[in-house]
Amino acid sequence: MDDKPDNVQVPPDLAAAIRQARAENAERAEAVADLRELEIGRLRALESALKPVIDQAPPDVDLFDLALAPGERPRLFIDMIAFVDMGRDERAYRFFQDTRHGRVLIAESQSADVIAVAVADYVARRLVERERALAAEWRFAGASQPPPSEADGPPGSESESADAIPAAVADYVARRLVERERGPAADRRAAGAPQPEPNVAASSIAKARALAWPPTGGESESIAAGADESKAPPRRRFARRLGDAFGLFLTLLGSITLALLIGLGVYWAWTVGLRDLWTQWTGTPPF
């Protein structure tokens, strides 16, 4: 007669559970890979439709470069700040642009023709903005330069051209650096964060700042102090330097006096009570 009960539970098999988990993971990975291949295929079809649009851009403009970036989320980049990816339903195209205030959705559609029209409009606007920026820079540079005088020689001389080109290049670089600083500085002022000082050539940046916007706060005070010091007579400047040297001497003298007073206080405390304590707890005092 068998005394074992019929409802004995069999312990779970860990090896079988691991095999089941691996099989499910493989199936899930295959499904994700298939979806990614589907997204890449649709983005490649869109890239073929957008190539004629990008090829119509002027040959001297290198702003646009179609590039398909495969990954967890495949993306078709139009330039450095705009790209197209697939929506959550894996059928709709989404055209995004990264701006200073965040990512903006320009267009979303399941039709590649609609996205191609939106990209063409985006490329046209970027080209117009580039032309306006170049025209504004040239107008600003032309307005800031004084008219040539007759004493400077003919305007087409080789010596004047050789001297003017490096100065114009340095001025252009300084203006571009200032424009680059003004964008992050505006964001930091809006967020309440402290603004770091730029590490660039001081003379060129100061000149570009003076031409770009009026100085405020500490900049105006430092400029006024430098102007006053340059306009001061030699005697006043000598007296100011002498006063600075005398102030430095008094500071050093005060430091030395403070050190001597501290030493005298320590010596007095040692002779009054610390020597006896040392003898009582440690032994013979060192001095």
Side-chain angles (χ1 to χ4, degrees):
M1 183 175 179
D2 193 1
D3 296 337
K4 294 182 179 179
D6 297 336
N7 57 352
V8 176
Q9 296 182 357
V10 179
D13 189 0
L14 180 59
I18 292 176
R19 288 194 298 269
Q20 181 66 22
R22 287 178 177 175
E24 293 177 357
N25 191 15
E27 293 177 358
R28 189 181 302 109
E30 291 179 359
V32 171
D34 293 340
L35 290 177
R36 187 177 298 116
E37 290 295 332
L38 179 61
E39 291 181 1
I40 293 176
R42 299 201 64 181
L43 290 177
R44 284 177 179 170
L46 180 62
E47 181 182 7
S48 301
L50 292 179
K51 277 185 178 180
V53 178
I54 302 300
D55 292 340
Q56 295 178 16
D60 58 338
V61 177
D62 54 355
L63 295 176
F64 311 104
D65 185 13
L66 288 176
L68 180 60
E72 185 177 358
R73 295 291 299 174
R75 292 176 177 178
L76 176 61
F77 284 89
I78 310 301
D79 55 7
M80 295 297 294
I81 60 175
F83 63 89
V84 180
D85 66 355
M86 303 302 300
R88 296 185 180 275
D89 57 355
E90 310 298 338
R91 290 180 294 180
Y93 297 99
R94 299 186 303 178
F95 183 25
F96 288 100
Q97 179 186 5
D98 292 331
T99 64
R100 185 182 303 172
H101 305 288
R103 185 166 294 174
V104 178
L105 178 63
I106 299 178
E108 181 177 5
S109 175
Q110 297 183 3
S111 175
D113 296 336
V114 176
I115 301 298
V117 172
V119 171
D121 184 67
Y122 168 79
V123 171
R125 294 179 184 277
R126 287 296 304 275
L127 291 175
V128 172
E129 290 176 359
R130 178 178 179 273
E131 292 177 357
R132 293 182 60 185
L134 292 176
E137 288 181 3
W138 283 111
R139 286 198 301 268
F140 187 78
S144 61
Q145 295 179 357
S149 59
E150 297 180 359
D152 295 337
S157 61
E158 295 181 358
S159 60
E160 181 181 358
S161 301
D163 295 337
I165 290 177
V169 171
D171 189 39
Y172 170 77
V173 172
R175 295 178 193 277
R176 291 302 301 271
L177 290 174
V178 169
E179 292 176 359
R180 182 182 178 184
E181 293 171 6
R182 293 180 66 180
D187 294 341
R188 286 193 297 268
R189 286 195 297 269
Q195 302 180 13
E197 290 293 334
N199 185 11
V200 292
S203 59
S204 299
I205 295 301
K207 179 181 177 182
R209 283 176 177 172
L211 293 175
W213 66 82
T216 59
E219 295 182 358
S220 60
E221 294 178 0
S222 61
I223 293 174
D228 295 341
E229 184 177 358
S230 61
K231 293 180 181 179
R235 292 182 180 179
R236 184 175 300 176
R237 284 183 291 179
F238 176 76
R240 184 176 301 175
R241 293 178 182 177
L242 184 61
D244 295 340
F246 185 69
L248 179 61
F249 173 74
L250 290 180
T251 304
L252 293 176
L253 183 61
S255 302
I256 295 172
T257 304
L258 180 61
L260 290 176
L261 290 176
I262 293 174
L264 290 176
V266 172
Y267 178 74
W268 178 80
W270 174 263
T271 56
V272 170
L274 293 180
R275 180 182 294 178
D276 298 336
L277 291 176
W278 185 282
T279 304
Q280 180 180 358
W281 293 98
T282 305
T284 305
F287 57 89

